[in-house]
Amino acid sequence: MVFHTLAGKVVTGLPRQAVIVGAKGLVRRGRTSKPSSTTDMIRQVLTDALEESNLSTRDLEGLIAVPSLQENHFMEAHYQATSLDLFSTSIEEDRPLRCKTIDTGGAGPVSAVLEAQRMIQHEGLECVAVVAADCVGSMDSTSFLAKADEIFLKHGKLPSPAIPNGYDRVTKYQMETFGLTRDQLRMVVCLQSFHAGKHKDSLFYHKEKGKAYSSLLEVKESPSVTPNISLMECARRADGAACLILSSNRYLKRRGLYEKGMVTVIGTGESSGPLFPPEVMNETPFSCEEAMVYAYEAAGNLTADDIDFFGLYDCFPICLVRALEASGLCSKGTAGDYIESQYTRMMKAMGDGKEDQLLEDPDFFPVNTHGGLLCYGAPWEVPAMYHIIEAIHQLRGNAHGRQIENCRRALVYANGGIFSASAVAIFAKSL
Ligand code: MLC
């Protein structure tokens, strides 16, 4: 086969694609014991992900990292590569290591996948690791809030806790404009907890062992954080880390590691908006909507009907609401009704003792089957990695107990700041 690269170079063979060959994560509640360092956690997930890939640090040509709130290093990727002694290995192998830190807030992991794909497809790198770690679960309330509030209090004129208050502005706007109700927002937590209850690594699974899900009443009774957001509707602080290994399909072929059905990145999109929501909200385009359009186009003009699993960022229910609409799972202004219909379906199945069959229903909530930031756990900028890892489990068919039938394509959306950065990646099994 002959084809042209973007630079116009004519090459033969397989078109270069970025394949995800390793994906490992860990999450912990924190607070109960001395926190691990981000480097220790990254060492663990990097080792596990490389082992899964049948590759080693000797194969690495790129390391992309996102910043940590708790440790806050200068040039995170360089810091971690140095701490993990990766430069010595790259010198021994005569294989330069490219490090890059990407700061698009919670969207960071998806932006990092975009960058890894670019390095592999257009710069000829063969193997790139994306890593993220943080220990915000181990921080005491005062230290966490001081850091999390810092920028937003000063420039965004938001009361503390600034991040929930920023999202409250958007929540209020959506309620007033589209009739979204408080209960529909709470139902997001019920649905996510149902999924998290089936994932043995989720914080919900460990803390609420034996429980099928969080009830609407529990969410209603959870303490208010802002006028329209309660504690259970906040990203659940945690410690954790995750690592993805991306490699070129050609390199894998040369190494005899390539197999049909491996997960590849088939389309990506990114967009930006202001760092703070305006005091009076209006219907300006959301970065989320733009990024979705770009990603669907890049993946060959796909639509929501072509996607079987959606990993949608959910630091607060409003984030998921906006993403449901932007992804095309439901039309603008109807996410509240969509959530309510899914909640009703879930309650009926549970009442009929048929909850185990819910995932066989192709119309049941194919979103965040790990539980998302609200119920799986949210170590600051790490959580979108968990959405990606869950997408990979779904595509590989090993999301035990929560597998979506015949999952062929998955979309992951992540958001940074308060809808300030959006990044979307679409994954599929290679043919
Ligand atoms: C917390 N708890 C929850 C929960 N969140 N339980 C169930 N579901 C949830 N979603 C539990 C905790 O485990 C703990 O229980 C207890 O409630 C108190 O939580 P806390 O966090 O220790 O309380 P506190 O320190 O008072 O702070 C409350 C808070 C804070 C709401 C101010 O939790 C917060 O700011 N959360 C949001 C975090 C955040 O903003 N993340 C970034 C999202 S924005 P126990 O039993 O363990 O003591 C984003 C975009 C970006 O993602 O770019 O970053």
Side-chain angles (χ1 to χ4, degrees):
M1 186 188 298
V2 175
F3 71 101
H4 298 265
T5 66
L6 281 189
K9 209 166 102 185
V10 177
V11 276
T12 53
L14 271 182
R16 268 181 96 79
Q17 280 187 317
V19 180
I20 304 199
V21 280
K24 292 287 176 185
L26 64 91
V27 68
R28 299 176 189 140
R29 180 173 158 268
R31 271 167 277 190
T32 44
S33 54
K34 196 173 162 287
S36 311
S37 73
T38 53
T39 304
D40 286 345
M41 289 195 292
I42 288 177
R43 183 179 292 109
Q44 186 180 331
V45 290
L46 177 66
T47 305
D48 293 349
L50 282 168
E51 193 184 308
E52 182 183 44
S53 316
N54 291 310
L55 295 169
S56 79
T57 49
R58 300 192 172 277
D59 297 290
L60 282 185
E61 293 182 335
L63 183 83
I64 308 179
V66 302
S68 130
L69 185 82
Q70 191 246 359
E71 290 189 5
N72 196 16
H73 307 118
F74 176 60
M75 298 172 74
E76 185 73 33
H78 289 74
Y79 171 87
Q80 297 295 356
T82 308
S83 308
L84 294 163
D85 210 17
L86 296 179
F87 286 110
S88 314
T89 316
S90 90
I91 290 163
E92 274 166 36
E93 288 293 306
D94 196 17
R95 190 189 278 273
L97 180 72
R98 185 102 56 84
C99 292
K100 193 169 270 191
T101 302
I102 294 202
D103 186 3
T104 51
V110 181
S111 299
V113 166
L114 267 69
E115 180 58 15
Q117 184 202 29
R118 195 189 61 76
M119 285 172 160
I120 288 171
Q121 280 189 331
H122 304 304
E123 293 184 9
L125 272 68
E126 302 292 18
C127 181
V128 178
V130 174
V131 294
D134 214 321
C135 300
V136 293
S138 290
M139 294 173 85
D140 63 69
S141 305
T142 315
S143 324
F144 171 72
L145 267 190
K147 280 200 173 186
D149 278 352
E150 208 177 327
I151 340 149
F152 296 98
L153 289 187
K154 202 164 142 200
H155 301 291
K157 300 192 189 101
L158 289 159
S160 179
I163 298 177
N165 272 297
Y167 280 96
D168 191 285
R169 269 190 202 166
V170 190
T171 308
K172 183 166 170 272
Y173 170 79
Q174 190 88 2
M175 291 168 76
E176 286 169 357
T177 313
F178 297 108
L180 173 73
T181 69
R182 259 321 265 117
D183 272 351
Q184 289 170 342
L185 289 155
R186 294 180 181 113
M187 287 169 192
V188 169
V189 178
C190 306
L191 286 162
Q192 304 255 102
S193 64
F194 171 82
H195 283 321
K198 302 196 176 311
H199 197 310
K200 67 175 177 38
D201 297 334
S202 78
L203 294 195
F204 178 87
Y205 185 90
H206 283 281
K207 183 133 191 252
E208 337 261 343
K209 236 176 179 163
K211 262 182 64 177
Y213 70 106
S214 295
S215 72
L216 192 55
L217 184 65
E218 273 175 276
V219 189
K220 230 175 198 161
E221 287 180 347
S222 114
S224 281
V225 174
T226 70
N228 297 299
I229 298 173
S230 70
L231 187 63
M232 288 177 77
E233 295 167 277
C234 290
R236 196 168 186 161
R237 284 202 286 141
D239 292 358
C243 174
L244 303 172
I245 305 291
L246 290 94
S247 187
S248 82
N249 51 346
R250 291 187 184 191
Y251 187 63
L252 295 170
K253 277 228 156 170
R254 284 205 299 279
R255 297 282 308 267
L257 297 171
Y258 189 77
E259 285 167 23
K260 258 189 187 169
M262 283 181 145
V263 177
T264 57
V265 186
I266 60 162
T268 55
E270 257 185 320
S271 182
S272 304
L275 198 48
F276 321 106
E279 278 176 60
V280 180
M281 289 288 302
N282 52 42
E283 203 41 44
T284 50
F286 265 67
S287 59
C288 170
E289 288 155 6
E290 285 174 4
M292 291 279 186
V293 170
Y294 296 147
Y296 278 134
E297 266 178 28
N301 291 319
L302 298 184
T303 69
D305 288 342
D306 300 304
I307 307 294
D308 303 301
F309 166 82
F310 293 80
L312 302 180
Y313 208 74
D314 59 306
C315 46
F316 301 92
I318 186 61
C319 191
L320 188 92
V321 163
R322 298 293 308 217
L324 284 170
E325 295 177 3
S327 69
L329 253 178
C330 51
S331 57
K332 197 162 182 68
T334 66
D337 292 341
Y338 172 77
I339 288 160
E340 189 164 343
S341 70
Q342 294 293 350
Y343 171 81
T344 307
R345 190 188 300 254
M346 176 183 88
M347 294 310 288
K348 177 160 185 339
M350 294 181 81
D352 295 347
K354 291 187 174 162
E355 63 156 287
D356 287 343
Q357 287 153 39
L358 262 174
L359 284 170
E360 289 162 23
D361 173 352
D363 294 324
F364 180 63
F365 204 52
V367 179
N368 299 350
T369 43
H370 61 309
L373 280 79
L374 295 169
C375 299
Y376 184 86
W380 199 239
E381 294 188 11
V382 181
M385 293 287 261
Y386 303 142
H387 286 79
I388 299 171
I389 292 171
E390 182 67 0
I392 293 161
H393 283 312
Q394 288 290 355
L395 288 167
R396 288 178 178 167
N398 59 12
H400 306 298
R402 47 181 208 289
Q403 181 65 46
I404 291 170
E405 288 213 332
N406 189 25
C407 184
R408 300 151 307 154
R409 292 187 205 90
L411 176 150
V412 175
Y413 159 71
N415 153 58
I418 302 168
F419 294 109
S420 323
S422 286
V424 176
I426 301 179
F427 305 97
K429 290 193 274 196
S430 66
L431 300 173

